[in-house]
Structure formats: C-alpha cells, structure tokens
Amino acid sequence: MTPGSHARPAVEEQPRLSRLRTLARATPLARLRRSRPPRSSWPWRVGTPVVVLLCGGLFIVSAHNSHGTDLRPGRYTDLASLVQGESDQYDALKQRVAQLNDDVQRLTNSVNDSDVRRFQRKIEKLKDPAGLVAHTGPGVTVTLADAPADVQNGSDVDPNRLVVHQQDIQAVVNAMWVGGATAVTINGQRVVSTTGIKCEGNAVQLQGVPYSQPYVISAVGDQGSILSAIDRDDYLGYYRDDAANPLIQVGWDVQTEDSLTAPAYDGLLDLNYAKPLTS
C-alpha cells in the first residue's frame, strides 16, 4: 500500500461482504416471486362448467316445449294460416261442446221425475225461436265483398267506402228480419239473439270466429217479403249506390234460392255479463 493512500480497516470488509451475499441470495427469490403467474380463484374453476351446463339445459327445455315450432309468436307473418288455425281450433271446441251437451241431454232424459219432464217440454218449445232447430226452405242470399284490388289501388275515394264493414252486414241481417225471415245465417253460421258482429282488422268476427270477405248472408223465408224489405232499407240503398259507382265497386249480389238450410246454432249458450258493485 503506497504512502498517502487511505486504507479502510479490514474489519469493515466483513459487514459489506455479508450484505452483498445477502442481496445476491435474496434477488433471485424476489424475481421468482414476481414472475410467478397469479393463481386462479377456485370459484371460477367451479362456476364456469356449471354455467355451461345450465345454458345447455335451457336449450334442451326450449326445444322440447316448442315441438319444432317458433316460441316467439310475433314472428308469424302468414295471417291467413293463423286465422285458419284459430278457426280449426274453434271447430274442435264446438264439437266438444256438442258432445258434452248430448251427454247432459241423455243424463237428463234418464231422470224419471215429473218436474224434470215439465221443464223439458218448455225447453223443447223454446228451441225453435232460440235458433236451436234447423230451418229449410226457399229464401234469399246476399253477398257482400270489398272492392276489387285494382279499384282500391287506383281510387282516390275514402278507403272506408271500399271495404265491407260490420254495419253493412248488420243492415242486411236486420232487413231480412224485417222481411219475415225465419232463420238467418252468415257464412254458414246461424244468427241468434246473442250473435255479435264486429270488425277485427281486415276481417269480421262472428261469434268469436274471424271471417274474411266475401260475406254470404242467407235467409229462409218468403222471398218477396225479404226482397221488398231489402229494397226499402235506406242504408242498403246507399250501399247499392256505392256498388254501382265505378270508383268504388263494393260487392253486392242478390240471389233467390229454391231451397236453403239454416243449421241449428251449436255454439255456447252461457252468457257472461257485468255485475254492479255493492257498497
């Protein structure tokens, strides 16, 4: 060691070397800890398969309940098929009602009681005026229809005058009653005291069933009296004027029939009505 140099005592080397060795040993371990990827949480490892299984179960349940059809009714675009399906369902329910009514009648007739027989005789007398008995005989048929498509597309007339409305059908039916008709049908359905006629979109609903035009209204009775009542009706006079107007051309056709059959009403006989609230 040269003169003038400042040498540190040897006793100070040991602490420094000790610190270096400690740092050298600690650094690789700290780096290893920092580079190790974080451990995944056990809920994710368990939850993910459970969610996948639940989704698969929902798909299976939906496919089973749909029976191959669309579960979203808003996607139906074929209105004619939808109306036909509803009409077929209604016919099936009517057949079921007729079968149950027959069962009730059979069980009632099997009861040997004087009071029951007296009420049965009253019921038999009321069946005809209630429309529960078929009528056959000469009559008149009136057919109403919307204006042709080319007229509707090219006419500047109010569109409401180009289609058949419920009041048009009601006017024909009322005129037939005034003319002494004994039975009236609309598209084959017997008209009774509880029959309701109302518009539903581009169709007319009759006794809960939608019908599209043309509307065939038939009446059994004296032909001359029925035709005369139709001719005298002021409302139907306006309708006939629209039918003769080349800018409107709503359908109007009258035919006499040598033999018409108005089937007995076979719908529901129960009435639903509102009841006043009691204080």
Side-chain angles (χ1 to χ4, degrees):
M1 184 174 298
T2 58
S5 63
H6 302 282
R8 295 182 179 179
V11 293
E12 294 182 1
E13 293 293 331
Q14 184 61 31
R16 181 173 181 271
L17 292 175
S18 177
R19 288 196 301 270
L20 291 174
R21 292 191 186 100
T22 301
L23 182 61
R25 288 195 300 268
T27 300
L29 182 58
R31 289 176 179 173
L32 179 61
R33 289 174 180 171
R34 286 195 300 269
S35 62
R36 180 180 298 173
R39 291 180 296 177
S40 59
S41 178
W42 69 267
W44 286 103
R45 294 198 301 270
V46 176
T48 301
V50 172
V51 172
V52 173
L53 290 175
L54 289 176
C55 292
L58 290 175
F59 292 147
I60 294 174
V61 172
S62 298
H64 177 73
N65 291 335
S66 66
H67 300 290
T69 62
D70 195 343
L71 289 176
R72 294 164 291 183
R75 293 175 62 88
Y76 286 114
T77 56
D78 190 350
L79 181 60
S81 298
L82 183 60
V83 171
Q84 183 62 43
E86 293 293 331
S87 179
D88 293 341
Q89 184 179 6
Y90 176 81
D91 291 338
L93 292 175
K94 279 205 310 182
Q95 293 177 3
R96 178 59 177 164
V97 169
Q99 179 183 355
L100 294 175
N101 287 335
D102 291 340
D103 293 341
V104 171
Q105 185 66 36
R106 177 176 53 81
L107 294 174
T108 302
N109 293 335
S110 65
V111 177
N112 188 13
D113 185 87
S114 58
D115 291 335
V116 172
R117 290 194 296 270
R118 184 172 67 255
F119 283 114
Q120 284 297 109
R121 288 193 294 269
K122 291 182 178 180
I123 291 174
E124 290 298 325
K125 292 180 180 180
L126 295 174
K127 277 186 175 181
D128 190 12
L132 303 180
V133 176
H135 276 223
T136 300
V140 176
T141 295
V142 176
T143 303
L144 307 180
D146 296 345
D150 57 341
V151 175
Q152 295 190 37
N153 295 331
S155 178
D156 295 331
V157 179
D158 182 1
N160 288 320
R161 299 177 64 185
L162 302 175
V163 296
V164 178
H165 297 280
Q166 68 182 55
Q167 57 265 31
D168 304 329
I169 301 174
Q170 290 169 341
V172 174
V173 173
N174 290 337
M176 289 177 169
W177 289 131
V178 171
T182 59
V184 177
T185 63
I186 302 176
N187 284 22
Q189 292 289 334
R190 181 72 174 267
V191 177
V192 295
S193 59
T194 57
T195 299
I197 305 171
K198 62 179 181 178
C199 288
E200 288 288 343
N202 61 347
V204 169
Q205 191 177 89
L206 175 65
Q207 295 171 169
V209 181
Y211 292 92
S212 58
Q213 57 96 30
Y215 304 104
V216 181
I217 309 165
S218 299
V220 177
D222 183 83
Q223 295 174 337
S225 297
I226 295 175
L227 291 174
S228 178
I230 292 175
D231 290 337
R232 293 194 308 267
D233 189 275
D234 293 335
Y235 183 93
L236 293 180
Y238 294 126
Y239 185 96
R240 290 193 298 271
D241 291 341
D242 285 346
N245 190 333
L247 298 178
I248 301 177
Q249 296 186 36
V250 286
W252 172 265
D253 182 71
V254 180
Q255 298 289 335
T256 56
E257 308 281 352
D258 294 335
S259 179
L260 283 174
T261 298
Y265 174 74
D266 57 357
L268 296 176
L269 299 176
D270 295 338
L271 298 178
N272 296 324
Y273 53 90
K275 296 181 180 180
L277 295 175
T278 57
S279 58

